């Protein structure tokens, strides 16, 4: 899906990020739809009210990003994530929550969610987060707390252990991990470090293998825990 935008008198086509929203509160869906609808490169193309709707949207609609509430009637977001793992093609799933730190959020990240956002996020940050998720980046609300890190705790998420784990990486890998921790996509990292996309993908895979992180989200948490973003 593309949109046409006029730039300096010339009409250009831009790829549109297709977003689905699943939340049992109609007002929450309307609010998110209004915010994202104001962005020229984002379109909300589907909505649902519970986890079963999320599964149906993914099966029937081409989505780049799925914004998913966790606490919903009938089928909640966690059950939806468990079922989505069995699907051949799944969009980037970003959890929407009202809780700063919660076991359910940690479980959602382990089930493959690309990150989480608090529902009171600033509109500009919501748009940016959708763009980051669509480009393969990890999305972590800036108010991520130590409590959530505790829920995610593994051998490498203790702060001292995290710093030691990161210290074993090369300077280049630490640079890449720092940018992953900031929510940068592979393309953004490649541009900032003047590398190719394929090189960045290789570096990210190397980081995951070296640190034992399951995905970009836990790598981003590791970067924060190790103080790379301080």
């Amino acid at each position: 899906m593309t949109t046409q935008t006029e730039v300096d008198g010339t009409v250009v086509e831009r790829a549109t990020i297709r977003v689905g929203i699943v939340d049992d509160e109609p007002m929450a869906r309307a609010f998110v739809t209004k915010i994202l609808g104001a962005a020229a490169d984002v379109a909300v193309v589907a909505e649902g009210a519970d986890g079963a709707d999320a599964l149906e949207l993914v099966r029937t609609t081409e989505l780049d990003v799925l914004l998913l509430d966790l606490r919903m009637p009938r089928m909640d977001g966690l059950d939806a994530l468990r079922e989505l793992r069995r699907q051949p093609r799944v969009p980037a799933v970003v959890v929407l929550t009202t809780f700063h730190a919660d076991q359910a959020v940690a479980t959602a990240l382990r089930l493959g969610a690309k990150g989480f956002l608090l529902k009171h996020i600033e509109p500009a940050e919501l748009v940016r987060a959708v763009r980051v998720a669509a480009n393969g980046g990890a999305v972590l609300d800036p108010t991520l707390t130590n409590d959530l890190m505790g829920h995610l705790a593994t051998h490498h998420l203790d702060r001292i252990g995290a710093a030691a784990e990161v210290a074993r990486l090369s300077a280049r890998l630490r640079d890449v991990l720092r940018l992953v921790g900031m929510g940068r996509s592979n393309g953004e990292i490649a541009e900032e470090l003047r590398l190719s996309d394929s090189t960045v993908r290789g570096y990210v895979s190397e980081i995951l293998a070296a640190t034992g992180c399951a995905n970009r989200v836990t790598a981003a948490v590791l970067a924060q825990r190790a103080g790379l973003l301080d």
Side-chain angles (χ1 to χ4, degrees):
M1 183 176 178
T2 61
T3 55
Q4 292 186 333
T5 305
E6 186 171 315
V7 179
D8 295 331
T10 301
V11 175
V12 296
E13 288 193 343
R14 293 179 176 174
T16 299
I17 300 170
R18 298 166 62 91
V19 179
I21 305 171
V22 177
D23 192 305
D24 63 317
E25 298 180 9
M27 288 295 291
R29 297 199 305 271
F31 178 68
V32 172
T33 298
K34 181 178 180 180
I35 291 172
L36 297 181
D41 59 337
V42 181
V44 175
V45 298
E47 295 184 27
D50 74 0
D53 291 338
L55 301 180
E56 183 65 18
L57 294 185
V58 170
R59 283 193 292 262
T60 61
T61 309
E62 184 179 345
L63 298 175
D64 300 303
V65 178
L66 176 64
L67 300 178
L68 180 67
D69 190 16
L70 287 185
R71 288 171 170 79
M72 296 178 289
R74 295 189 294 173
M75 178 183 282
D76 66 19
L78 292 180
D79 286 337
L81 278 167
R82 291 186 181 97
E83 292 297 322
L84 286 173
R85 297 181 80 179
R86 303 174 186 174
Q87 300 298 317
R89 183 185 181 280
V90 180
V93 180
V94 177
V95 168
L96 291 174
T97 180
T98 56
F99 299 92
H100 285 251
D102 183 84
Q103 181 60 51
V105 173
T107 301
L109 297 181
R110 291 195 184 100
L111 289 173
K114 300 303 182 184
F116 83 96
L117 299 172
L118 296 178
K119 287 187 177 181
H120 63 244
I121 188 172
E122 292 292 328
E125 283 300 309
L126 175 60
V127 174
R128 180 186 177 278
V130 165
R131 290 170 177 153
V132 168
N135 284 308
V139 178
L140 296 174
D141 192 281
T143 58
L144 181 70
T145 67
N146 285 332
D147 288 339
L148 178 59
M149 290 180 181
H151 286 308
L152 285 170
T154 62
H155 71 282
H156 60 268
L157 288 181
D158 167 81
R159 186 169 182 87
I160 296 176
E165 194 84 26
V166 168
R168 294 168 46 217
L169 301 176
S170 68
R172 175 59 83 189
L173 291 184
R174 288 197 299 273
D175 285 342
V176 173
L177 179 58
R178 176 179 58 82
L179 294 173
V180 168
M182 295 172 66
R184 300 287 196 270
S185 67
N186 284 350
E188 290 171 329
I189 295 172
E191 183 177 353
E192 183 159 341
L193 299 181
R194 297 183 180 180
L195 301 169
S196 68
D197 283 4
S198 61
T199 297
V200 172
R201 285 196 299 272
Y203 282 153
V204 171
S205 296
E206 190 174 345
I207 288 168
L208 298 183
T211 61
C213 290
N215 50 44
R216 292 179 75 101
V217 177
T218 50
V221 174
L222 174 63
Q224 293 190 16
R225 196 62 168 156
L228 291 183
L229 277 62
D230 292 347

